[in-house]
Amino acid sequence: MIAKLAKTCTLRISPEKLNFILCDRLVGGGVSMWCELEQENFFSEFQMEGVSAENNAIYLELTSENLSRALKTAQNARTLKIKLTNKHFPCLTVSVELLSMSTSSRIVTHDIPLKVIPRKLWKDFQQPSVPDADVSIYLPVLKTLKSVVEKMKNISNHLVIEANLNGELNLKIETDLVCVTTHFKDLGNPPLASDDASRDRDPAEMAEVHVDIRKLLQFLAGQQVNPTRALCNLVSSRMVHLDLLHEDVCLQYFIPALS
């Protein structure tokens, strides 16, 4: 999923969590991503030692596809071990013990080159802050959404996403020649982080964000399965914050508004 969203990303390793991070500056028009995995849900053994007791973390920059390709070979493996190694250059070494027809097993090793990020740059990879949303709404089935957005991309590169507190979501395209709107109804709204915002707002009033349709489509193309929960938070004229929960994986994706 992450390989489809980001060609290169930062892997943050800490004693409790693994994070995949993409920090293209929102102010520069780039998307941002924060993906979180609880290590205890994925590893039976986990040992790591950071820079110090106060800064007990490791930040690595790697090519997502290289890690994805290595892990695909482990789908029917007996064991999988991931280590940080130094083989003339820093590597994430993935050792896969594969079952064989005989009693013996085969070990397949992948060395994924990476860059260790120095501590002075860690501040650039903090979890993005999420402003209070004007409207928060549950998304429809992502496969359906992707199909709609793919068709709209043939008409325009720009898309208006609008939603209200009555569970209504609209995707709109307006050009000199045509105006196209897709309506989704009865999606439901989770409680907003700020009760004041929802109390003062007319439930029928639309919050809208104008985005690059290709960035939304890249996000939708990366979704392999329908998530347990999929939320869209709109900060009017500023950003779209997509919040997904895939069983043990939490993914947040930020798309800035077009000026």
Side-chain angles (χ1 to χ4, degrees):
M1 179 173 70
I2 286 165
K4 283 184 164 62
L5 293 177
K7 188 175 180 182
T8 60
C9 70
T10 299
L11 171 59
R12 176 185 182 271
I13 302 168
S14 67
E16 292 83 30
K17 293 182 171 71
L18 275 75
N19 296 101
F20 291 96
I21 307 164
L22 175 65
C23 279
D24 283 358
R25 288 280 167 265
L26 282 172
V27 290
V31 297
S32 290
M33 173 188 77
W34 181 270
C35 182
E36 190 163 286
L37 294 72
E38 299 278 348
Q39 65 82 4
E40 63 181 15
N41 294 334
F42 293 87
F43 301 98
S44 55
E45 288 181 41
F46 190 86
Q47 297 170 354
M48 65 82 60
E49 192 175 320
V51 176
S52 63
E54 300 80 42
N55 296 282
N56 198 11
I58 303 168
Y59 286 74
L60 309 169
E61 184 182 293
L62 50 81
T63 301
S64 316
E65 182 59 36
N66 290 347
L67 180 56
S68 172
R69 204 178 292 128
L71 293 174
K72 276 177 184 169
T73 64
Q75 285 177 338
N76 297 312
R78 179 181 289 167
T79 62
L80 167 71
K81 187 183 289 183
I82 302 175
K83 295 183 292 185
L84 182 58
T85 57
N86 189 2
K87 301 190 175 181
H88 305 299
F89 49 85
C91 285
L92 205 59
T93 296
V94 178
S95 296
V96 183
E97 184 184 0
L98 295 172
L99 299 169
S100 63
M101 300 300 286
S102 63
T103 52
S104 61
S105 57
R106 292 180 295 135
I107 302 288
V108 177
T109 302
H110 303 265
D111 290 322
I112 302 164
L114 49 80
K115 189 164 76 179
V116 178
I117 298 172
R119 200 169 84 192
K120 63 184 178 184
L121 299 179
W122 287 8
K123 63 183 185 298
D124 296 336
F125 300 97
Q126 301 309 305
Q127 183 169 1
S129 58
V130 185
D132 286 340
D134 294 298
V135 169
S136 183
I137 191 166
Y138 291 108
L139 286 171
V141 175
L142 296 186
K143 194 178 284 186
T144 305
L145 203 59
K146 180 187 171 204
S147 175
V148 169
V149 175
E150 277 177 338
K151 291 179 176 70
M152 287 181 146
K153 181 178 171 287
N154 296 327
I155 305 169
S156 172
N157 287 331
H158 301 157
L159 175 74
V160 175
I161 303 173
E162 59 178 24
N164 64 18
L165 296 173
N166 284 336
E168 297 170 328
L169 173 73
N170 299 330
L171 303 180
K172 292 198 309 187
I173 278 179
E174 293 173 338
T175 70
D176 295 338
L177 297 174
V178 69
C179 178
V180 179
T181 306
T182 302
H183 303 273
F184 296 93
K185 295 186 177 181
D186 303 320
L187 296 174
N189 302 89
L192 283 167
S194 169
D195 285 340
D196 295 339
S198 55
R199 202 177 295 123
D200 299 340
R201 191 178 185 88
D202 176 0
E205 182 190 351
M206 290 286 180
E208 68 171 50
V209 183
H210 193 183
V211 297
D212 184 331
I213 199 168
R214 293 164 298 186
K215 289 173 181 171
L216 177 61
L217 195 56
Q218 184 179 17
F219 166 79
L220 294 169
Q223 305 315 306
Q224 310 295 303
V225 293
N226 213 43
T228 319
R229 186 198 71 208
L231 270 180
C232 176
N233 300 310
L234 297 181
V235 184
S236 288
S237 305
R238 285 182 61 193
M239 75 159 75
V240 177
H241 168 224
L242 299 158
D243 185 1
L244 303 191
L245 184 67
H246 284 269
E247 296 177 352
D248 296 324
V249 180
C250 175
L251 174 70
Q252 296 184 67
Y253 197 75
F254 303 82
I255 305 175
L258 292 170
S259 54

